[in-house]
Amino acid sequence: MGERVPQHIQNQIIRKFCETNRLEYSLSASEYAMKNSYLMLEEIINEKSSMNGIVFYSLFQLPENKIYRNNIYKNIIKRKKKIFFSVENFKLSSKNDILELEEIWDVKSVLPSCYKGY
Amino acid sequence: MTSYLDKKDIHLSKNFFKKGYFIQKVSDLKSLKTLRKAVVNSLCETIKVKMKKEKDFDRFLNDIHNTIKIKNLNNTRLNILNSINSSSEFHQKYFEVAKNLLFSLVGNELAMQTRVNLSIQLPGDASSLLPVHSDIWSGDSPFEVVVWIPLVNCYSTKTMYILKPENYKKIHSKFKKYAGKNSSDFYKNIKKNVEWINIKFGEILIFNQSLPHGNIVNSEKETRWSLNCRFKSLYSPYGDKKIGEFFKPITIRAASRIGMNYSLPNLKK
């Protein structure tokens, strides 16, 4: 969604989020830089390790495509994993959380068409 | 100009433009009491004292400086903040208390700040001051309003001040003269024109956060307790405080939901 924060700052925020929420920080992963690449994300979600969650820097790092995003949520919930978003201080672990999160995405996606000036 | 606002809305808007704020008696007193109870209960847990009965809340809060030391104040405040902000009911009640005013002054599709703030101002404490500022100068959008809820009666130096719109207008055009000066110099210049908000528990304040406001050392004999939270029209421009990280949508209407999820049928094979 056009936002950029340096990777080391993202890592600091994620570490702090884990600390505050008593989550064990075990592995850091960076997505490939190509547009619309979610290869790393898919890899982590489908990994059959003991890892039980993924902490994102922001929820706006999820795919912009709604259908793709929904598939990710479903996959996460099916695998009984959780996803967290540090900047938004948000945890996704149920279908209700998906609705709440999607409301934010919906609003964000129409904002470029709304009045911007001041 | 076409305007179909009703008389009540027009009256509120005129007052808001003229004074920069509006104070109203809370009609939903039950919700307001729930908010105060949540704060008091969390306070009791934090400082490890016996839970209080509602009739004692006012005295307990006003006299808390006899129990809490200034050096422990921030930790106490953070504990209470974490507790009240972990409850979605608290947020909903906060909105309910201000709903009518918000619908009149801001709109009916709203975004609410994700975290409600709490101010505790002990008598003589200079560590909890908010020097004169406009929220817009630090990244808020001018489309936001602040709903300020006192948990005790607030008056004189135990309250906040705001610069009247007419005076701000004069200062705005001569702002260059503050180049190289500091906020104290600015305050000294506007001091005689600020209005001190006199407000009781049971009332709420909604104010224009683009107007310079702040507080000074509380030199009364009681502690100030107040909550504040920002609201804005959901689709109005955002400043540095964005949807998701700082604001959450709270009253999305059906037509907007339909619109946001609509896509034109695709004719391509």
Side-chain angles (χ1 to χ4, degrees), chain A residues 45 70-83 92-99:
Chain A
I45 292 172
N70 270 299
N71 286 338
I72 287 178
Y73 302 146
K74 279 181 203 158
N75 204 355
I76 295 262
I77 288 172
K78 195 175 94 187
R79 289 167 193 275
K80 295 195 169 68
K81 291 183 179 180
K82 291 171 185 157
I83 41 178
L92 188 149
S93 58
S94 68
K95 285 180 182 164
N96 256 344
D97 296 333
I98 295 175
L99 295 177

Side-chain angles (χ1 to χ4, degrees), chain A residues 3 58-60 66 87-90 99-100 102-111 114-118, chain B residues 115 136 139-143 234-240 242-245 247-249 252 257 259-261:
Chain A
E3 325 264 331
S58 165
L59 66 89
F60 297 113
K66 197 169 187 154
V87 173
E88 295 82 12
N89 194 21
F90 193 97
L99 295 177
E100 200 175 325
E102 278 303 300
E103 275 191 347
I104 295 169
W105 262 99
D106 286 343
V107 173
K108 178 96 171 175
S109 64
V110 297
L111 286 180
C114 298
Y115 174 67
K116 288 188 223 37
Y118 71 82
Chain B
R115 282 179 74 80
I136 320 304
D140 282 274
S141 157
F143 291 79
L234 188 57
Y235 307 110
S236 65
Y238 288 75
D240 282 344
K242 308 287 188 199
I243 191 81
E245 63 186 55
F247 284 103
K248 60 181 176 186
I252 300 180
R257 284 186 198 280
M260 288 189 287
N261 288 294

Side-chain angles (χ1 to χ4, degrees), chain A:
Chain A
M1 295 288 272
E3 325 264 331
R4 187 197 169 267
V5 176
Q7 232 174 72
H8 69 285
I9 303 291
Q10 293 189 29
N11 277 334
Q12 281 177 26
I13 302 288
I14 291 170
R15 275 183 196 279
K16 182 72 189 160
F17 179 88
C18 291
E19 210 180 290
T20 309
N21 292 281
R22 292 178 188 163
L23 302 168
E24 194 187 333
Y25 183 101
S26 56
L27 174 77
S28 166
S30 307
E31 188 53 73
Y32 297 148
M34 291 84 79
K35 195 170 166 55
N36 295 328
S37 163
Y38 296 99
L39 273 82
M40 288 302 291
L41 177 60
E42 292 286 1
E43 175 72 27
I44 294 169
I45 292 172
N46 295 310
E47 205 174 66
K48 286 177 190 162
S49 71
S50 58
M51 186 186 64
N52 51 14
I54 303 166
V55 182
F56 281 73
Y57 170 72
S58 165
L59 66 89
F60 297 113
Q61 291 175 321
L62 287 170
E64 287 185 37
N65 182 294
K66 197 169 187 154
I67 298 166
Y68 191 4
R69 232 171 27 240
N70 270 299
N71 286 338
I72 287 178
Y73 302 146
K74 279 181 203 158
N75 204 355
I76 295 262
I77 288 172
K78 195 175 94 187
R79 289 167 193 275
K80 295 195 169 68
K81 291 183 179 180
K82 291 171 185 157
I83 41 178
F84 304 84
F85 304 98
S86 313
V87 173
E88 295 82 12
N89 194 21
F90 193 97
K91 178 175 88 174
L92 188 149
S93 58
S94 68
K95 285 180 182 164
N96 256 344
D97 296 333
I98 295 175
L99 295 177
E100 200 175 325
L101 195 133
E102 278 303 300
E103 275 191 347
I104 295 169
W105 262 99
D106 286 343
V107 173
K108 178 96 171 175
S109 64
V110 297
L111 286 180
S113 312
C114 298
Y115 174 67
K116 288 188 223 37
Y118 71 82

Side-chain angles (χ1 to χ4, degrees), chain B residues 47-254:
Chain B
I47 61 172
K48 297 185 174 64
V49 298
K50 205 176 142 192
M51 291 293 171
K52 302 290 172 194
K53 289 184 178 157
E54 194 171 321
K55 66 178 176 59
D56 301 321
F57 285 179
D58 198 57
R59 203 64 271 149
F60 179 55
L61 292 173
N62 271 311
D63 289 345
I64 204 67
H65 49 277
N66 296 324
T67 312
I68 304 176
K69 288 181 180 157
I70 290 176
K71 66 171 182 166
N72 298 327
L73 180 62
N74 201 38
N75 273 346
T76 305
R77 198 179 67 88
L78 288 176
N79 273 339
I80 299 171
L81 269 178
N82 286 336
S83 160
I84 59 179
N85 280 305
S86 64
S87 154
S88 62
E89 192 203 358
F90 189 90
H91 284 226
Q92 192 175 351
K93 297 281 181 202
Y94 201 103
F95 163 65
E96 295 289 345
V97 162
K99 185 174 167 180
N100 293 339
L101 269 181
L102 287 167
F103 280 7
S104 287
L105 293 172
V106 186
N108 68 3
E109 284 194 291
L110 294 168
M112 178 181 185
Q113 193 176 334
T114 51
R115 282 179 74 80
V116 171
N117 292 315
L118 170 70
S119 295
I120 311 170
Q121 233 193 319
L122 306 183
D125 175 20
S127 68
S128 312
L129 294 186
L130 266 177
V132 61
H133 67 285
S134 152
D135 294 1
I136 320 304
W137 302 343
S138 46
D140 282 274
S141 157
F143 291 79
E144 299 166 19
V145 297
V146 176
V147 172
W148 201 91
I149 303 182
L151 300 178
V152 290
N153 296 347
C154 297
Y155 53 89
S156 302
T157 56
K158 190 193 168 192
T159 189
M160 59 164 278
Y161 62 79
I162 188 164
L163 184 66
K164 295 173 194 166
E166 64 196 76
N167 296 103
Y168 178 58
K169 214 173 168 183
K170 288 176 199 162
I171 279 170
H172 188 273
S173 58
K174 295 172 190 156
F175 213 76
K176 278 182 196 159
K177 73 175 187 181
Y178 295 105
K181 295 190 176 177
N182 59 36
S183 62
S184 300
D185 298 325
F186 181 49
Y187 177 65
K188 274 179 210 155
N189 255 303
I190 63 164
K191 196 176 169 182
K192 62 179 188 302
N193 292 317
V194 300
E195 188 166 354
W196 295 87
I197 304 290
N198 200 331
I199 185 168
K200 294 185 174 113
F201 174 71
E203 297 175 324
I204 55 165
L205 162 73
I206 185 163
F207 71 90
N208 173 355
Q209 44 141 28
S210 72
L211 296 169
H213 58 278
N215 59 20
I216 57 170
V217 173
N218 174 5
S219 54
E220 313 310 314
K221 289 176 180 160
E222 298 175 326
T223 296
R224 187 244 275 194
W225 289 79
S226 62
L227 299 163
N228 69 77
C229 184
R230 289 169 182 78
F231 292 85
K232 68 189 288 297
S233 173
L234 188 57
Y235 307 110
S236 65
Y238 288 75
D240 282 344
K241 319 272 174 83
K242 308 287 188 199
I243 191 81
E245 63 186 55
F246 193 85
F247 284 103
K248 60 181 176 186
I250 55 166
T251 51
I252 300 180
R253 305 284 164 161

